[in-house]
Amino acid sequence: MRAAGGPFKISLFADLHFGENAWTDWGPLQDFNSVKVMSTVLDHETPDFVIYLGDVITANNMAVANASLYWDQAISPTRVRGIPWASIFGNHDDAPFEWPLDWFSDSGIPQLFCPAVNSSYSDSPKRVKISMPGEEECDFRGTHRTELMKKEIDYNVLSHSKNGPKDLWPSISNYVLQVSSSHDRQMAVAYMYFLDSGGGSYPEVISSAQAEWFRHKAEEINPDSRVPEIVFWHIPSKAYKKVAPRFGVHKPCVGSINKESVAAQEAEMGIMKILVKRTSVKAVFVGHNHGLDWCCPYQNLWLCFARHTGYGGYGNWPRGARILEIMEQPFSLKSWIRMEDGSVHSEVILSS
Amino acid sequence: MRAAGGPFKISLFADLHFGENAWTDWGPLQDFNSVKVMSTVLDHETPDFVIYLGDVITANNMAVANASLYWDQAISPTRVRGIPWASIFGNHDDAPFEWPLDWFSDSGIPQLFCPAVNSSYSDSPKRVKISMPGEEECDFRGTHRTELMKKEIDYNVLSHSKNGPKDLWPSISNYVLQVSSSHDRQMAVAYMYFLDSGGGSYPEVISSAQAEWFRHKAEEINPDSRVPEIVFWHIPSKAYKKVAPRFGVHKPCVGSINKESVAAQEAEMGIMKILVKRTSVKAVFVGHNHGLDWCCPYQNLWLCFARHTGYGGYGNWPRGARILEIMEQPFSLKSWIRMEDGSVHSEVILSS
């Protein structure tokens, strides 16, 4: 994709956590509020592109057979504005339902409405079917990553998401997109790499095979490291722990909240070693930690958190979205955070 | 069911854990060894009935779409001898596959063979299909309790298992069987209650609704508590913690190993209160803890562990099976443990 002349602007929507507690009032209300956050950010920034940075939905809180319904709700504010997007998976997107212990006490199981499989996309009119417990419609085992992605791609011409190479399974959202010059659409201004950092149905990790796929792909399409590369995944790697500031955010880090420990991937299988060897890699962006929004330098690149965008998920820190701005000539990568109330903070240059 | 004249003898097969690590040699070897244990016990004791006390399979270790294949292997030693049986669920029977972290390192994912859905029961010849990763056959999300039970019941005339009342969902194996007099098949000698203590796809608990179901059913079919009642489930209730002996097994408890802490259910939702109020309830039998095989008195009844029967699952304590013997006139309930090497120990009278 390419910008219409000026800089190329991207909005990162992280940890939306749609679909929580559909059997109560507060769950659907959270989603309504998350739509408002996204709408505010999109209307203030009018970005050229949106990246859904994982935990789009909270599948482990969904008593449904197919979670694509909620995934679709989460991408709708971007779609209705005609903005193209790409998405990657977080650890909550394909997790199986976790039954609340309280449902086994005297209070019992609330009346559950299980949307019919594929109902949000079927050609027949939308319907909500009341399923008897135990019937197939209520299987609650999470929706496969492949299924979630297939639905997004098949039904949305604006989606740039990809299922990724089959041999990287069970990780799915592994792909690269080119940001092209506004003068010459063949000329790459930047490559955006998307990686699936796991979790949910399998361990929270970027595999050795994914790292090798990145290395091979980057050497193939950008052999002389001339074009800057930016990387997106959901769960911070262990390197984030090394650079995390203590007690507030201070130089050289830039950000506004530092309220948690970094919840890193389970293991490091090689991706960081490969990234730091490439001078063209400028920054990595992750979500996952709702109480962190900093960027810190790490060797030749920056490690950044996005900003918790959704009202779903833990934490009540004010919601917002990290914005990236790519300038072509000369290349620069700038970032800031746009808040739900319209304010802006934490501007940082990531290309120097 | 009823005995052919003499006492009614039951063998408890606990924690068989079939289907582990099918991609290595040791997994299938464990199952082979478990079949040997069951065969030895059945040939020594020639019981009238067998109870599969949960954790029949280790679904979280199975890279298959339908685990009924392994469930079927586990019941085969009983079936081939023409002995009727009943089964209940443990916490491992419907759990989703847990991916080994090591598969994401350089070693990679081993070649997986995903048995085609329903292949062990289909009318067409048995076949093993090699599935490409990501295809539907390899969905790895665990097999529903309803599906496992349906397969067992539909294809086995000797199975006395039941799916249980629908309103107790997601717990499934809740039912009662009558042991009848050898003289009069209408006359009950004992009632055997089976309860699903959860785990796997939902919390480890006997719900308030299950407790109420038991109470109602027992009052309905045995209003004057004339007929003795025996209860079977998989995960020990919290009451087991109260009576657990410390350092070895000593009176009034009877048993041979006491090598672990009781791994109890997550919560107590009322079943124990109801059981101790009924003078007809003689004993509860559970599995789950492979390193415990004791029986201890608790108020008016006995709380017993079975004996780890399978080579699957944790622990290397010698394998065996708890045997129950019900005498009709006068009623008595005796139990002992039959080991794989043919020896017998820990005899105890549970009806006094």
Side-chain angles (χ1 to χ4, degrees), chain A residues 8 13 22 27 44 69 75 88 110 112 195 198 236 257 285 296-297 306 308 321:
Chain A
F8 187 75
F13 290 154
H44 272 92
L69 182 72
I75 57 183
I88 54 175
L112 296 175
L195 288 164
I257 53 169
F285 298 90
C296 292
H308 187 199

Side-chain angles (χ1 to χ4, degrees), chain B residues 185-222:
Chain B
R185 67 158 51 192
Q186 301 292 20
M187 209 176 93
V189 172
Y191 289 114
M192 300 193 293
Y193 280 89
F194 300 88
L195 288 164
D196 187 342
S197 57
S201 65
Y202 75 95
E204 298 183 344
V205 70
I206 292 175
S207 71
S208 191
Q210 286 172 280
E212 195 48 38
W213 169 82
F214 169 82
R215 193 189 59 73
H216 185 80
K217 181 62 80 177
E219 286 176 1
E220 177 192 334
I221 63 176
N222 194 18

Side-chain angles (χ1 to χ4, degrees), chain A residues 104 106 133 141-142 144 169 208, chain B residues 104 106 133 139 141-142 144 169 208:
Chain A
F104 298 86
D106 284 343
R141 289 187 296 175
H144 280 296
W169 179 79
S208 192
Chain B
F104 298 87
D106 284 342
D139 85 348
R141 290 187 295 174
H144 280 298
W169 178 79
S208 191

Side-chain angles (χ1 to χ4, degrees), chain A residues 99 101 104-106 109 133-134 138-144 169-170 201-203 205 207-208 266-267 269, chain B residues 99 101 104-106 109 133-134 138-144 169-170 201-203 205 207-208 266-267 269:
Chain A
W99 289 76
L101 184 58
F104 298 86
S105 71
D106 284 343
I109 299 174
C138 277
D139 85 349
F140 298 14
R141 289 187 296 175
T143 305
H144 280 296
W169 179 79
S201 66
Y202 74 95
V205 70
S207 71
S208 192
E266 289 174 46
M269 299 293 190
Chain B
W99 289 76
L101 184 58
F104 298 87
S105 71
D106 284 342
I109 300 174
C138 276
D139 85 348
F140 298 14
R141 290 187 295 174
T143 305
H144 280 298
W169 178 79
S201 65
Y202 75 95
V205 70
S207 71
S208 191
E266 291 175 45
M269 299 293 191

Side-chain angles (χ1 to χ4, degrees), chain A residues 29-333:
Chain A
L29 180 63
Q30 303 285 72
D31 293 347
F32 178 79
N33 288 333
S34 298
V35 167
K36 281 209 295 184
V37 178
M38 288 189 278
S39 302
T40 301
V41 169
L42 294 173
D43 293 341
H44 272 92
E45 295 284 357
T46 60
D48 302 288
F49 198 70
V50 167
I51 294 170
Y52 285 86
L53 209 59
D55 285 1
V56 175
I57 57 177
T58 305
N60 48 303
N61 208 207
M62 284 183 190
V64 296
N66 194 316
S68 289
L69 182 72
Y70 292 105
W71 187 280
D72 191 59
Q73 287 178 10
I75 57 183
S76 66
T78 303
R79 179 176 51 215
V80 297
R81 285 169 178 77
I83 304 169
W85 75 86
S87 62
I88 54 175
F89 289 111
N91 49 303
H92 284 279
D93 292 308
D94 76 348
F97 182 60
E98 290 168 17
W99 289 76
L101 184 58
D102 187 53
W103 288 9
F104 298 86
S105 71
D106 284 343
S107 68
I109 299 174
Q111 178 86 53
L112 296 175
F113 297 87
C114 304
V117 179
N118 304 341
S119 66
S120 73
Y121 292 99
S122 65
D123 295 331
S124 57
K126 287 187 187 182
R127 67 205 167 95
V128 172
K129 184 180 165 192
I130 303 170
S131 294
M132 290 303 293
E135 291 191 359
E136 284 309 305
E137 286 81 4
C138 277
D139 85 349
F140 298 14
R141 289 187 296 175
T143 305
H144 280 296
R145 278 165 149 78
T146 43
E147 171 78 1
L148 289 168
M149 199 57 110
K150 186 178 183 332
K151 287 278 164 62
E152 185 198 302
I153 297 168
D154 286 357
Y155 290 86
N156 292 289
V157 291
L158 292 168
S159 167
H160 285 65
S161 303
K162 290 187 173 31
N163 254 323
K166 273 203 166 186
D167 56 357
L168 297 182
W169 179 79
S171 85
I172 292 294
S173 54
N174 303 289
Y175 55 102
V176 55
L177 297 177
Q178 175 179 315
V179 180
S180 299
S181 167
S182 54
H183 316 297
D184 175 2
R185 66 159 52 192
Q186 301 293 18
M187 208 176 95
V189 172
Y191 289 113
M192 300 194 293
Y193 281 89
F194 300 89
L195 288 164
D196 187 342
S197 57
S201 66
Y202 74 95
E204 298 184 342
V205 70
I206 292 175
S207 71
S208 192
Q210 286 173 279
E212 194 48 37
W213 169 81
F214 170 82
R215 193 189 59 73
H216 184 80
K217 180 63 82 177
E219 285 176 2
E220 177 193 335
I221 63 176
N222 194 18
D224 53 5
S225 287
R226 191 191 54 76
V227 181
E229 292 155 333
I230 317 170
V231 187
F232 303 88
W233 68 65
H234 181 72
I235 305 172
S237 58
K238 288 180 181 290
Y240 275 75
K241 280 179 176 286
K242 295 183 196 165
V243 300
R246 299 188 180 198
F247 313 117
V249 185
H250 37 81
K251 284 190 176 178
C253 301
V254 177
S256 76
I257 53 169
N258 183 21
K259 302 288 191 183
E260 307 178 275
S261 299
V262 172
Q265 294 168 30
E266 289 174 46
E268 176 59 42
M269 299 293 190
I271 186 67
M272 292 311 298
K273 272 192 184 168
I274 292 169
L275 292 183
V276 297
K277 274 191 194 154
R278 288 189 68 80
T279 55
S280 39
V281 176
K282 300 302 172 196
V284 177
F285 298 90
V286 302
H288 195 56
N289 272 107
H290 302 178
L292 303 174
D293 74 351
W294 45 258
C295 288
C296 292
Y298 174 73
Q299 303 193 29
N300 58 306
L301 50 86
W302 285 80
L303 300 182
C304 290
F305 281 95
R307 176 82 188 201
H308 187 199
T309 307
Y311 272 77
Y314 73 93
N316 277 310
W317 301 286
R319 277 71 175 182
R322 181 172 285 285
I323 310 295
L324 308 185
E325 190 182 70
I326 300 172
M327 295 290 286
E328 183 179 349
Q329 208 60 274
F331 176 83
S332 80
L333 176 62

